[in-house]
Amino acid sequence: MAMEYFQVNLPKTFLPFINHASGDSLDAKVKLSLAIGMFIEKQVTLARAAELAEQPLADFIELLKSKSIPWMEYTDEHLEDDLQSVREVLLSEDDSI
């Protein structure tokens, strides 16, 4: 399936900021910036953001890390699951003594 494109006109005042973004071309820099923004705003998943940025997932994660952007969410539910697992391990160790 052929990729469809659209054109955007931006004021040149954006150019200095876009030029500081990662990427080899202006198009790549804009794609990456938009993908990061959409990921941060939770409009797309991590995998989809990497795909939109045309980056391998591992490279996209490394880029987010280099910009101190959290790439993984650790929720209260994750914490409770981990604490429950620790409790179970500790109880099983007590039973084996």
Side-chain angles (χ1 to χ4, degrees):
M1 180 170 114
M3 178 85 64
E4 293 184 44
Y5 294 91
F6 67 95
Q7 185 173 350
V8 176
N9 294 312
L10 297 172
K12 285 190 176 184
T13 53
F14 278 89
L15 202 51
F17 303 105
I18 293 172
N19 281 333
H20 285 318
S22 300
D24 296 330
S25 68
L26 184 60
D27 284 349
K29 291 172 190 252
V30 171
K31 282 179 197 174
L32 185 57
S33 296
L34 286 171
I36 290 171
M38 289 186 292
F39 173 71
I40 290 171
E41 293 294 322
K42 298 183 182 349
Q43 294 175 327
V44 296
T45 64
L46 177 65
R48 181 66 176 137
E51 182 181 312
L52 290 169
E54 297 179 351
Q55 298 261 325
L57 182 58
D59 292 352
F60 191 73
I61 289 170
E62 286 305 313
L63 180 69
L64 293 175
K65 285 178 173 180
S66 74
K67 296 181 178 304
S68 300
I69 298 171
W71 60 275
M72 186 176 78
E73 233 178 66
Y74 193 76
T75 65
D76 289 339
E77 185 177 320
H78 292 127
L79 176 60
E80 187 54 42
D81 288 345
D82 288 347
L83 290 173
Q84 182 61 34
S85 295
V86 168
R87 285 185 208 107
E88 289 171 8
V89 167
L90 292 175
L91 285 173
S92 69
E93 286 180 358
D94 286 344
D95 290 341
S96 64
I97 296 177

